[in-house]
Amino acid sequence: MEERKKEVLRVYNRKTVKGQYPNGLAYSVHLSVKENEEECPLHNNYGLVFPKAWVNEDNVIVPSFVGNLKVAAVKKDGAVTYLITGEDWKSDGSVNSENKGSFWSWSTADFLTFDEWGICSGAQLCEKTGLTLEAIRMTDQIAIPDEMAQCIKHHWNALHAKRQMTEPKLKFPLARGLADPVVLLWKDDYYFIATNDNENDIGFYVRKAHELEDLFAKDVKTYKILDKDTENGFVQLFWAPEFHVLNGSLYLLFTVSDSEWNPQCHIMKLKENGDILNLKDWEKPIRVRRANGGLLSEKGINIDMTPVKSGERYFYVWSHRKNIGTPLDTGSMLMIAEFDPVHPERLISEPKCLSRPLYGFENTEHTINNEGPYAFYYHNKIYLAYSGGDARGYLYAIGMLTANDGDDLCDLSVWEKAKTPVASFATIPGEYGPGHNSFFWDRDQNLWIAYHAVTSFEEKIVSSGMRRVYFEQDKTPRFDVIVE
């Protein structure tokens, strides 16, 4: 019988490259597959698995790094699993003496999903695997079946598709200086709104077009629907506007600050039969508050609020941060609470912390962010995207949380957080730092992602972009399809 072909999988770190690949990315788990002596880095040579940071007694995140990676096949109860280990490193790439002799550890059956074991001593590894350390035989590469290798490459490498003749041409960059883009399909027309860096983030401007590509025509008109209002405390930081339909009415959720740099979540409602483009057809904005009427938090900022529906219940997710710019900076974290869509300006449950930037792609070069959440729904699954890293640079990346439709989303155990970003500067050529995205369905029921990114490693002015989201046969979304 002919022996089945074997390919070689390798685990490795990358070297840091200033301004392109910092230690938060380099000191993570990378994978490659060697076929016919040609090595193919997976995920475009971007980190795949990241050691989880820890939170100290001051509620400050302490980043983690992993190096000197090894992999082994472990046979237990007739089944083969794979073990990845690495040393606990400091930010400079040296071994952390506090954990010398212990190892960051992950197990996987397929190199597609990974179970975190955390930092394990040698004795703990032996207990988990049922083998001695000598029997585990750790090296930096291992032979795997060809079928597994093909699945790994399909999963982690970008896919290519031909653009359909009817699909709009929306080549990045679409609109320079427009961040946090959102598209709404309303009464058979498309509406576009974004944070307007071109106007120093003051005021919200809307575009309308019957076809998607016409939203970015040179002569497209813009309509201001919220302006600076010193009397009501709308002075600066007009951020992250989002259109949402709640209980049959259209609302705009957004962030704004008074003169003291204190951005907070607000909501305003379109009057019945009102025109989205007419400033006077919008009711007065209201600050979102807790169930008891108190502020979302006594200290810190609250930004990027978005609704998420599960079954017949509604939840807000937003980003909260305290002590920004100080040694006690908490980093921005995602909060969640339930609300009543009849009275969407008020929570009906206490906020809980859903996610913090504990992985290297979320927390690198002091950009400690979980922000910009936005959800879509597909085949009884809730996909909640969020962004981490530098919101105005190439390190921005999109992470993903998932839950089942119908779950109590305030039960934090129902959520699963992906260990790898679904989009980064390594995803689509020429698009660096995609993030603060939204989703929308077009007339043909195709799902689109809108986002902002920059055009190079050095660029600091963001531009809007959008592209189709495709789905695998198992219904999972792909954000890395390159359309030609």
Side-chain angles (χ1 to χ4, degrees):
M1 181 181 293
E2 183 179 350
E3 185 177 349
R4 298 188 67 182
K5 181 182 176 183
K6 295 278 188 178
E7 300 195 36
V8 176
L9 179 136
R10 185 169 75 92
V11 295
Y12 62 98
N13 294 109
R14 281 184 58 184
K15 292 182 178 180
T16 61
V17 180
K18 187 176 181 180
Q20 293 190 12
Y21 211 68
N23 55 13
L25 302 181
Y27 303 154
S28 65
V29 179
H30 298 67
L31 298 179
S32 70
V33 173
K34 184 182 290 186
E35 181 180 5
N36 298 325
E37 299 304 315
E38 182 177 347
E39 190 167 16
C40 172
L42 302 175
H43 206 222
N44 206 15
N45 212 17
Y46 188 100
L48 275 170
V49 183
F50 295 82
K52 186 175 288 185
W54 55 283
V55 180
N56 68 17
E57 59 186 11
D58 293 321
N59 198 27
V60 174
I61 294 172
V62 181
S64 296
F65 309 92
V66 65
N68 192 19
L69 296 161
K70 306 292 182 183
V71 62
V74 178
K75 293 184 179 180
K76 188 176 182 180
D77 300 328
V80 177
T81 59
Y82 298 89
L83 177 65
I84 298 174
T85 66
E87 296 172 334
D88 184 30
W89 277 11
K90 296 180 180 179
S91 60
D92 62 1
S94 63
V95 177
N96 184 356
S97 60
E98 294 181 4
N99 288 316
K100 192 172 184 178
S102 296
F103 308 92
W104 285 102
S105 306
W106 297 267
S107 68
T108 179
D110 50 17
F111 296 100
L112 307 182
T113 59
F114 302 84
D115 292 329
E116 294 176 328
W117 288 3
I119 295 181
C120 297
S121 66
Q124 288 172 321
L125 283 180
C126 293
E127 181 181 352
K128 285 178 174 290
T129 60
L131 299 172
T132 64
L133 288 179
E134 292 76 14
I136 296 176
R137 299 178 63 186
M138 305 294 294
T139 65
D140 68 344
Q141 57 187 17
I142 190 170
I144 58 173
D146 175 65
E147 184 179 355
M148 175 182 286
Q150 299 310 315
C151 289
I152 293 171
K153 288 188 285 188
H154 175 84
H155 183 83
W156 290 117
N157 292 342
L159 302 180
H160 293 257
K162 291 187 178 296
R163 189 181 68 85
Q164 301 299 313
M165 293 297 294
T166 57
E167 190 172 309
K169 296 180 180 180
L170 295 167
K171 186 177 179 180
F172 179 83
L174 293 173
R176 186 172 169 84
L178 295 184
D180 320 332
V182 168
V183 173
L184 169 73
L185 179 57
W186 176 260
K187 297 180 180 179
D188 206 35
D189 285 311
Y190 293 104
Y191 294 81
F192 174 89
I193 193 167
T195 300
N196 197 326
D197 295 344
N198 301 315
E199 299 292 337
N200 298 315
D201 296 351
I202 296 177
F204 290 130
Y205 300 79
V206 183
R207 304 175 179 196
K208 175 184 177 181
H210 190 65
E211 303 298 339
L212 271 177
E213 54 264 54
D214 292 337
L215 290 171
F216 305 100
K218 290 184 178 180
D219 59 350
V220 66
K221 292 183 179 180
T222 61
Y223 300 82
K224 186 183 290 185
I225 64 169
L226 188 67
D227 202 354
K228 186 174 182 178
D229 184 347
T230 305
E231 182 178 344
N232 288 302
F234 307 148
V235 178
Q236 59 179 323
L237 311 180
F238 287 66
W239 286 349
E242 295 184 7
F243 291 121
H244 291 284
V245 177
L246 302 171
N247 195 41
S249 297
L250 183 65
Y251 290 86
L252 186 74
L253 279 158
F254 62 94
T255 299
V256 73
S257 174
D258 57 23
S259 58
E260 295 186 6
W261 203 95
N262 184 35
Q264 300 293 330
C265 302
H266 290 69
I267 188 169
M268 70 178 186
K269 181 180 180 181
L270 184 68
K271 297 174 183 177
E272 189 173 356
N273 298 319
D275 180 358
I276 292 175
L277 305 178
N278 188 344
L279 182 151
K280 295 181 179 180
D281 283 353
W282 289 92
E283 295 182 358
K284 182 179 177 180
I286 301 171
R287 184 168 173 174
V288 180
R289 293 179 176 268
R290 289 178 177 248
N292 62 6
L295 303 178
L296 291 181
S297 63
E298 292 298 329
K299 295 181 180 180
I301 66 173
N302 296 280
I303 64 175
D304 302 350
M305 183 170 275
T306 195
V308 185
K309 186 175 183 288
S310 181
E312 298 303 316
R313 299 169 67 184
Y314 288 79
F315 304 80
Y316 279 137
V317 180
W318 70 97
S319 183
H320 170 58
R321 189 169 187 171
K322 292 192 295 185
N323 306 319
I324 188 169
T326 76
L328 296 178
D329 190 346
T330 62
S332 58
M333 60 197 89
L334 296 183
M335 308 297 293
I336 188 167
E338 190 172 0
F339 74 96
D340 181 351
V342 178
H343 301 287
E345 72 283 357
R346 190 72 63 92
L347 307 181
I348 59 174
S349 74
E350 287 299 300
K352 293 182 178 180
C353 181
L354 173 60
S355 175
R356 296 186 73 171
L358 301 181
Y359 294 136
F361 71 88
E362 308 170 292
N363 178 2
T364 186
E365 291 193 337
H366 311 293
T367 55
I368 324 168
N369 281 339
N370 274 181
E371 61 184 19
Y374 204 102
F376 75 90
Y377 316 87
Y378 193 70
H379 281 264
N380 302 314
K381 202 86 171 174
I382 299 168
Y383 294 88
L384 179 65
Y386 68 93
S387 297
D390 181 6
R392 290 295 187 269
Y394 76 95
L395 287 173
Y396 219 26
I398 300 174
M400 186 66 72
L401 292 146
T402 55
N404 293 318
D405 192 8
D407 284 346
D408 176 3
L409 302 187
C410 284
D411 176 0
L412 303 183
S413 68
V414 307
W415 290 97
E416 182 177 354
K417 182 175 180 177
K419 300 173 180 63
T420 311
V422 299
S424 71
F425 68 79
T427 303
I428 302 294
E431 300 183 13
Y432 297 80
H436 203 125
N437 72 282
S438 62
F439 298 101
F440 67 95
W441 297 88
D442 67 17
R443 292 191 192 91
D444 298 321
Q445 290 303 297
N446 298 311
L447 181 65
W448 290 76
I449 180 173
Y451 52 92
H452 73 244
V454 291
T455 56
S456 70
F457 285 114
E458 299 79 18
E459 178 67 88
K460 290 297 180 182
I461 298 177
V462 303
S463 298
S464 291
M466 60 182 66
R467 61 176 180 265
R468 279 269 308 274
V469 177
Y470 292 81
F471 292 89
E472 295 275 20
Q473 290 184 351
D474 65 0
K475 312 303 181 185
T476 55
R478 293 290 299 246
F479 301 91
D480 58 351
V481 177
I482 300 171
V483 179
E484 299 168 338

